[in-house]
Amino acid sequence: MILLSRPSASLILGGVVTVLAGPCDLYAAGKTPCVAAHATTRALYDSYSGALYQVKRGSDGATADIKPISAGRVANAASQDTFCNGTTCVISIIYDQSGRGNHLRQGPPGGAASGPNGGYDNLASAIGAPVTLDGKKAYGVFISPGSGYRNDATNGVATGDQAEGIYAVIDGTHFNSGCCFDYGNAEISNRDTGSGHMEAVYFGDNSFWGTGSGNGPWIMADMENGLFSGFNVANNPADPSISDRFITAIVKGKPNQWAIRGGNAVSGSLSTFYSGARPNTSGYNPMSKEGAIILGIGGDNSISAQGTFYEGVMTSGYPSDATESAVQANIVAAKYATTSLTSGPAVNVGSSISFRATTPGFDTRYLMHNGSTVDTQVVTSSSSATLKGQASWTVRTGLGNAACVSFESKDTPGSFIRHYAFQLQLSANDGTKQFFEDATFCPQAGINGEGNSIRSWSYPTRFFRHYADVGYIASEGGPEVFDATSSYNEDVTWIVGNSFA
Ligand SMILES: *[C@@H]1O[C@H](CO)[C@@H](O)[C@H](O)[C@H]1NC(C)=O
Ligand SMILES: *[C@@H]1O[C@H](CO)[C@@H](O)[C@H](O)[C@H]1NC(C)=O
Ligand SMILES: *[C@@H]1O[C@H](CO)[C@@H](O)[C@H](O)[C@H]1NC(C)=O
């Protein structure tokens, strides 16, 4: 038995124990090879040392490929951090490691929705989903509503009723009920061409079609015109609500047979939530798969879902449960874990703070609220008590994610800074998941080298910005007027100081 320092799993082939280090080596040994292999976190083949993903930076539009630290291993996150230092970065390409060139790029417009960038979807922040694998930092793909990736001209991906397997490792705490956080097989036209034209892993708590037990979120299969938790669009009590932080989610299908499987990606084994015949409503038997690949969107480019993707593959052939067990052991051995979402000067929970702008000519202005409007005003020690109160905030544990923070108004307790249509506003906490998420921000080292930049948890390409003295969450060079590149780094950098009140 060879001992490897990297994650490994063994498979008994004809009585010989073979040590294999990547999920796609295991699928190949099971005679169901990967035809697409996507991961921003690690190599999915023992021998893979090529590019995992490409980042594009806001300062000059330059791109860089991020590779594993060595063949078969975790991504070199430090190379991204260096390339993106002092600016913003998005994930512009997620490369296919299978050798078939099935790379994922910015999703094009589709039948359900056109994205905000001349019809194209948004790209994900390169820093929205930091994790560690066996203690080494890597970044996942944090999909906010409006973001998505696609490839409509693939090679080797199942079409028609051909067999395939799909798995994805995702964040079980980042989801919504929008359609549809998917990874898998979809239409090549970006349009709904009918039932049975998709076969993708779905994760979220959409209850418009199928449901499982409890309130969700659930792993389901998007087969077009329906999210399936089991045989037909219905409730399948055997498909459980899942709350693990890291999840392995599986959908696989072959002629008149398909399955949903899942488990905790950091421990234990997989369970089968459905395995049986195809739906007997029209269109699903036989299937009419088209072979495009989507991530974070529906087959018709529905773009209202959110979720986080770390790694996933699509295979040729219907993987055996034994092969998937070996893959699950490999994922567990990769040791996914959470890491800090913040950096820079500490913004401590319980402290009373103010935000001073750093843009030259505006650096005596502070973020304040006037009623529900959040804008900037010049505030000094001799300002009125009213104005001082309007510009003072208490740092609270993040309402939507305890690893980040929320900002409660000093003079209006119970009201917090949130974003709404990407503008900042002060609103009373209404107790909804939407409010919690929109009021959660992750302070990081200031992008212009001073103080802090305040990143939106739910839209991590976007940071607190003052623009024409009004508060927004802005992405560098994004589609909104207040996303303008001019003086972006200064406008999104703040000195977090003591409060006035
Ligand atoms: C970013 O740049 C700053 C200033 O030049 C430097 O102190 C810091 O170490 C750099 N960080 C990384 C990750 O390169
Ligand atoms: C579909 O399957 C269900 C459950 O077995 C059955 O009740 C129903 O009659 C079937 N429908 C068709 C159109 O075959
Ligand atoms: C607050 O808004 C009101 C109404 O628009 C305006 O009259 C007032 O001057 C504003 N106060 C500050 C401090 O901006």
Side-chain angles (χ1 to χ4, degrees):
M1 180 91 184
I2 304 161
L3 289 176
L4 296 179
S5 60
R6 56 187 170 239
S8 62
S10 53
L11 202 67
I12 298 172
L13 295 170
V16 180
V17 176
T18 313
V19 176
L20 300 161
C24 288
D25 300 309
L26 298 166
Y27 280 114
K31 306 264 188 286
T32 49
C34 294
V35 291
H38 301 115
T40 53
T41 51
R42 63 171 181 146
L44 299 176
Y45 292 85
D46 188 24
S47 62
Y48 189 78
S49 59
L52 302 174
Y53 62 106
Q54 184 195 71
V55 293
K56 182 179 181 188
R57 68 185 175 198
S59 54
D60 58 1
T63 59
D65 285 346
I66 309 301
K67 297 179 174 181
I69 56 174
S70 61
R73 302 196 65 197
V74 65
N76 186 348
S79 68
Q80 173 184 313
D81 292 342
T82 300
F83 182 75
C84 301
N85 197 8
T87 183
T88 55
C89 272
V90 290
I91 296 172
S92 38
I93 302 175
I94 303 166
Y95 291 108
D96 171 21
Q97 302 175 29
S98 80
R100 290 178 176 271
N102 293 326
H103 312 311
L104 296 174
R105 293 185 164 86
Q106 189 166 23
S114 287
N117 308 281
Y120 280 72
D121 302 340
N122 288 320
L123 294 168
S125 165
I127 56 168
V131 288
T132 59
L133 277 71
D134 198 15
K136 296 178 188 65
K137 192 172 184 187
Y139 293 101
V141 184
F142 189 103
I143 297 286
S144 307
S147 311
Y149 294 82
R150 192 169 195 125
N151 185 328
D152 284 330
T154 62
N155 173 334
V157 177
T159 58
D161 208 24
Q162 288 175 344
E164 70 179 346
I166 308 163
Y167 89 81
V169 175
I170 55 187
D171 179 344
T173 66
H174 183 209
F175 62 89
N176 69 6
S177 60
C179 177
C180 291
F181 182 71
D182 288 348
Y183 173 69
N185 195 322
E187 293 94 338
I188 57 174
S189 62
N190 316 318
R191 280 168 174 74
D192 177 354
T193 48
S195 300
H197 285 245
M198 292 180 63
E199 185 168 69
V201 172
Y202 164 83
F203 184 73
D205 65 348
N206 185 302
S207 58
F208 186 75
W209 294 285
T211 54
S213 63
N215 295 321
W218 307 284
I219 303 167
M220 295 193 277
D222 191 342
M223 294 195 236
E224 192 52 278
N225 297 325
L227 296 174
F228 290 79
S229 59
F231 176 49
N232 276 341
V233 165
N235 176 263
N236 171 15
D239 192 22
S241 293
I242 298 184
S243 59
D244 296 318
R245 173 62 175 77
F246 296 100
I247 293 172
T248 307
I250 286 178
V251 167
K252 56 182 171 178
K254 63 181 179 180
N256 200 25
Q257 162 68 36
W258 70 282
I260 304 174
R261 309 187 73 217
N264 186 331
V266 301
S267 67
S269 54
L270 299 170
S271 300
T272 300
F273 305 141
Y274 176 77
S275 179
R278 289 288 183 184
N280 67 357
T281 47
S282 175
Y284 299 101
N285 189 21
M287 295 284 281
S288 305
K289 295 176 231 183
E290 297 190 21
I293 306 174
I294 52 171
L295 172 60
I297 50 178
D300 57 2
N301 198 41
S302 294
I303 50 173
S304 48
Q306 64 182 23
T308 296
F309 174 91
Y310 299 106
E311 61 173 77
V313 311
M314 299 170 67
T315 69
S316 172
Y318 191 81
S320 68
D321 287 4
T323 295
E324 288 168 349
S325 294
V327 169
Q328 165 69 1
N330 176 280
I331 294 166
V332 170
K335 294 196 172 74
Y336 274 91
T338 57
T339 189
S340 177
L341 290 171
T342 63
S343 65
V347 179
N348 293 316
V349 170
S351 62
S352 297
I353 61 159
S354 58
F355 296 98
R356 181 172 65 78
T358 63
T359 310
F362 297 84
D363 57 5
T364 57
R365 300 183 78 91
Y366 289 79
L367 198 70
M368 59 85 73
H369 78 94
N370 186 358
S372 63
T373 301
V374 173
D375 56 20
T376 64
Q377 295 284 346
V378 175
V379 187
T380 68
S381 56
S382 50
S383 293
S384 70
T386 301
L387 184 52
K388 286 177 175 175
Q390 290 170 315
S392 296
W393 313 94
T394 305
V395 181
R396 300 297 185 198
T397 300
L399 294 167
N401 186 316
C404 295
V405 297
S406 294
F407 302 109
E408 184 177 10
S409 167
K410 268 289 204 196
D411 69 1
T412 314
S415 286
F416 291 79
I417 300 176
R418 70 170 293 180
H419 61 84
Y420 187 88
F422 305 141
Q423 187 168 346
L424 295 179
Q425 61 181 37
L426 188 76
S427 298
N429 180 355
D430 65 12
T432 61
K433 179 172 178 280
Q434 189 71 54
F435 184 94
F436 293 167
E437 294 181 352
D438 291 348
T440 298
F441 300 94
C442 309
Q444 66 175 58
I447 291 176
N448 78 355
E450 305 176 62
N452 291 98
S453 292
I454 311 297
R455 190 173 77 246
S456 162
W457 174 78
S458 54
Y459 288 83
T461 57
R462 296 184 169 276
F463 296 81
F464 272 20
R465 181 187 198 170
H466 63 95
Y467 186 85
D469 298 333
V470 176
Y472 296 94
I473 54 168
S475 66
E476 186 170 19
E480 310 288 343
V481 167
F482 47 82
D483 293 332
T485 53
S486 174
S487 84
Y488 181 85
N489 285 3
E490 286 70 35
D491 292 353
V492 297
T493 303
W494 304 81
I495 302 300
V496 178
N498 292 332
S499 71
F500 292 96

